[in-house]
Structures are given as structure tokens and as C-alpha cells.
Amino acid sequence: KLSILVNGEHIKGSPFSVLVTRNYRSLNKPSKSLNANGGMGRPWGIAVSRNGMWAVTDFSKHRVYMFDKDDRLVRMFGKKGSGNGELDGPQGVAFDAHDHVYVADNGNN
């Protein structure tokens, strides 16, 4: 039998069981290099890789920012558009088991 619990309460009719743990760390202020590049506009999604790198999507600036485990900006990519390397309202971001990054791009589907 599978079930979903929210705050310890079963959700009636749910076919799944989900265990959510909260392992997190506080992120420091982003690096000066981020501010030098105009800062973030509308940060939306965030993901942390197995090696501690983390990524943030910026919905309004159509970018993805990549930070190392020491919270230093190491890479950013994207600009508004629909071609290679272009984004249109990126929202979700995720890493796979090999630390490849995947971006859910709202406007480009």
C-alpha cells in the first residue's frame, strides 16, 4: 500500500508515498562578480548538485547562474531568444547524477 503524508496526515486517494527530508545549508551572499554583471532580476528555480555546485534560473533576465560550493559565481549562460543557448523565462533547473544541468524553459517549451 502506498500513501502520501503531509504533516503526518494521509492524503485520501493518493497512490504514492513520499518522504521529504530537509537537508540544507545557508547560502552566502552571491559573489561580487554577480553584482558586476547586473545582479539577478527574478530568481525562480534553484538546484544543488551532488558535488555542492548550485544553479539558479533567472526568469526575467533569461539566464542561469552557476555557483561553486563556496558560493562563487563560476558561470552564467542564456539570453532572451529561441535559438541555441537562448532562453525565454527559464523556471526549473535540475542536476542529474553526473552533474549535468537541465533547464525547464517556460517560453521555449
Side-chain angles (χ1 to χ4, degrees), residues 57-60 62 80 87-92 104-108:
T57 57
D58 189 329
F59 186 84
S60 65
H62 314 285
K80 185 167 177 58
L87 303 168
D88 186 7
Q91 292 181 325
D105 189 12
N106 183 52
N108 287 322

Side-chain angles (χ1 to χ4, degrees), residues 61-64 75-81 85-87 90:
K61 291 193 174 184
H62 314 285
R63 294 181 186 157
V64 177
R75 183 175 182 215
M76 73 179 163
F77 60 90
K79 65 180 183 177
K80 185 167 177 58
E86 296 177 333
L87 303 168

